Amino acid sequence: MKIPFTKYQGLGNDFILIDNRHSPEPLITPEIAVAMCDRHFGIGADGVIFALPGQAATDYTMRIFNSDGSEPEMCGNGIRCLAQFIARLEANNAIGRTYRIHTLAGTIIPRLEANEQVTVDMGPPQLLGSEIPTTLVKGSEKILAVPLEVEGKDWLVTCVSMGNPHCVTFVDDLPSIPLETIGPKFEHHPVFPQRTNVEFVEVVAPDYMKMRVWERGAGITLACGTGACAVVVAAVLTDKCDRRCTVELPGGCLQIHWSQTDNRVYMTGPAKAVFEGIYVWYLN
């Protein structure tokens, strides 16, 4: 099996992009995606993204398999990479070009900007326990600075869904967080029936925050677009930042705006092609 692909990265969050426009189902299985994402025995990536035909009055459909084979609802950095990939497939990278992308989190609309930047209308955040989902509170309640015990310590967490679940904790000393050990404990905590993405955040100024992330299904990554959106929403709700904020991740910065006018979250950041090739899968 020969699979043409293009490798993209958005602030170091890297993906294998596959042209899947001729079929409504992904060309490969989650097991093959795991092999492709392996950084020693494969191409190396945080996930595999498929550009499928549109549905429900959209231009395209996005599916993604994480590096562990699981399938998330959406990926913020990934959809910026998908927008650039589609522009390359269409040979049309005009500034201002928009796409309506069907995802498991609903319709998402990225817009091409200058200098390989993409702005994405991420839609309104979801804040109720039933929407995250989590059993930490009643389904009709919000999760704002609620204690959650992990590893014998109570952490004050704020939960937000950007079409996928996020658990945000504000800390004073970001580098001291043992993300590689505590991240999985949060992700698999029983109060999150669908697991969760985990963000630890240090507020530098009302318009600037630093963030580290443990992504559900991928582990430690250099960036998470939906996570950055969730962090700004969580910070606004707990009176820690402005509605326009720069979020610094290990891979670089994203510009996030939670609009008071329409309640939608807008994310702007880069997406760049790295290389292209053909992956040969030898069937046993």
Side-chain angles (χ1 to χ4, degrees), residues 163-238:
N164 56 355
H166 294 270
C167 178
V168 179
T169 302
F170 295 95
V171 298
D172 295 325
D173 184 11
L174 189 60
S176 69
I177 299 297
L179 190 57
E180 64 283 353
T181 57
I182 202 164
K185 302 293 185 181
F186 274 83
E187 177 188 357
H188 295 277
H189 198 288
V191 300
F192 299 110
Q194 296 179 15
R195 301 186 290 163
T196 188
N197 298 281
V198 186
E199 290 84 22
F200 293 93
V201 187
E202 184 175 333
V203 179
V204 179
D207 62 351
Y208 198 99
M209 293 186 290
K210 294 181 178 181
M211 162 185 148
R212 295 175 65 199
V213 60
W214 177 274
E215 287 201 57
R216 181 186 58 166
I220 294 176
T221 60
L222 295 179
C224 177
T226 56
C229 294
V231 160
V232 170
V233 171
V236 170
L237 291 174
T238 53

Side-chain angles (χ1 to χ4, degrees), residues 29-53:
T29 64
E31 291 75 20
I32 296 176
V34 170
M36 295 177 77
C37 289
D38 191 288
R39 297 192 182 276
H40 298 287
F41 298 100
I43 298 166
D46 292 320
V48 179
I49 295 175
F50 307 88
L52 298 101

Side-chain angles (χ1 to χ4, degrees), residues 135-171:
T135 60
L136 186 57
V137 299
K138 294 180 180 179
S140 60
E141 296 177 353
K142 297 178 181 178
I143 306 93
L144 305 179
V146 174
L148 175 65
E149 184 179 346
V150 179
E151 291 285 89
K153 176 181 176 179
D154 279 342
W155 303 79
L156 294 180
V157 303
T158 298
C159 296
V160 177
S161 173
M162 292 303 308
N164 56 355
H166 294 270
C167 178
V168 179
T169 302
F170 295 95
V171 298

Side-chain angles (χ1 to χ4, degrees), residues 51-101:
L52 298 101
Q55 53 183 295
T58 59
D59 301 310
Y60 294 92
T61 296
M62 172 185 180
R63 295 277 299 276
I64 176 170
F65 293 150
N66 284 325
S67 58
D68 71 349
S70 62
E71 183 172 6
E73 299 85 353
M74 222 282 289
C75 175
N77 287 321
I79 202 164
R80 295 200 317 275
C81 292
L82 178 62
Q84 295 284 26
F85 180 57
I86 290 169
R88 175 177 288 201
L89 293 177
E90 292 184 345
N92 180 7
N93 61 348
I95 296 174
R97 177 80 165 88
T98 63
Y99 304 99
R100 292 178 57 83
I101 309 295

